C-alpha cells in the first residue's frame, strides 16, 4: 500500500519500518504509518520480521510453541479473528474446530438441523472433493462423535426402562 499510495490491509504481512529505505522507490514513515494496517499473529515469523508501522493489531496464535511457523497460517488467523470478534451470521470454517481446536460454534436457535457440526463438516468436505487425508480425518471424528452419542443415547433408554420397571 505504501509504495502505490493506496490504503492496504495485510494479514501476517512483513513489516518495513527498518527496511523502508531499501525499497525502490523508498517508503516513507508517514506512508507506512497512514496507508498500511497489518494483523500480526503472535509468534508469526514473517509478520515479526522488521518493526511494524503504527497501524497494526496483534492477535493470539493457538499453535504449539514448537510449531511457530503454523502461526503464519491465514486460516488459523481467520479462526482466531472469528473466535475473538465473533462470526456474526457468517459460517465458521470447519478447520477452526477440527484442525485448530477452537470450540464448536453454537447452533442457530432457528435451525431444525439435527446433524452435528463435525458431521456436517465431514459431509461437506467429501461432497466438495476435498483432500482424502483431511476428509478422512474429519469423518473419523464424526464417527467417534456418533458412536459416543449412540452409546449415551442407549444408556439413557435403558435407564428409563429400568426406572419404569
Amino acid at each position: 500500500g505504501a509504495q502505490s499510495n493506496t490504503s492496504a490491509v495485510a494479514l501476517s504481512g512483513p513489516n518495513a519500518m527498518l527496511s523502508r529505505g531499501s525499497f525502490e522507490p523508498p517508503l516513507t514513515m508517514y506512508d507506512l504509518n497512514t496507508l498500511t494496517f497489518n494483523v500480526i499473529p503472535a509468534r508469526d515469523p514473517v509478520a515479526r520480521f522488521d518493526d511494524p508501522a503504527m497501524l497494526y493489531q496483534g492477535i493470539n496464535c493457538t499453535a504449539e510453541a514448537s510449531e511457530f511457523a503454523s502461526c503464519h497460517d491465514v486460516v488459523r488467523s481467520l479462526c482466531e479473528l472469528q473466535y475473538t470478534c465473533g462470526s456474526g451470521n457468517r459460517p465458521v470454517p470447519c478447520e477452526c474446530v477440527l484442525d485448530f481446536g477452537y470450540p464448536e460454534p453454537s447452533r442457530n436457535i432457528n435451525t431444525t438441523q439435527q446433524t452435528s457440526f463435525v458431521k456436517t463438516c465431514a459431509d461437506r468436505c467429501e461432497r466438495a472433493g476435498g483432500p482424502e487425508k483431511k476428509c478422512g480425518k474429519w469423518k473419523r471424528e464424526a464417527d467417534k462423535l456418533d458412536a459416543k452419542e449412540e452409546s449415551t443415547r442407549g444408556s439413557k433408554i435403558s435407564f428409563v426402562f429400568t426406572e419404569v420397571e
Side-chain angles (χ1 to χ4, degrees), residues 9-13 37-41 44 47 55-59 77 81:
V9 175
L11 182 57
S12 294
F37 181 86
N38 196 8
V39 177
I40 304 175
D44 180 344
L55 303 177
Y56 72 93
Q57 178 62 54
I59 63 171
S77 294
L81 288 170

Side-chain angles (χ1 to χ4, degrees), residues 141-155:
E141 288 294 320
D143 291 345
K144 274 197 296 189
L145 186 63
D146 285 347
K148 185 177 177 181
E149 286 178 0
E150 188 62 38
S151 68
T152 304
R153 201 175 303 125
S155 65

Side-chain angles (χ1 to χ4, degrees), residues 46-111:
V46 174
R48 297 280 172 196
F49 187 77
D50 210 327
D51 286 346
M54 289 175 55
L55 303 177
Y56 72 93
Q57 178 62 54
I59 63 171
N60 189 31
C61 175
T62 60
E64 295 292 326
S66 61
E67 297 177 9
F68 65 91
S70 296
C71 293
H72 191 66
D73 187 310
V74 69
V75 178
R76 182 185 294 274
S77 294
L78 173 65
C79 294
E80 179 62 27
L81 288 170
Q82 283 195 318
Y83 178 72
T84 304
C85 304
S87 62
N89 60 356
R90 293 172 183 84
V92 173
C94 296
E95 289 83 353
C96 297
V97 174
L98 295 165
D99 295 343
F100 301 129
Y102 286 91
E104 281 190 29
S106 54
R107 290 185 190 264
N108 183 332
I109 295 171
N110 299 323
T111 189

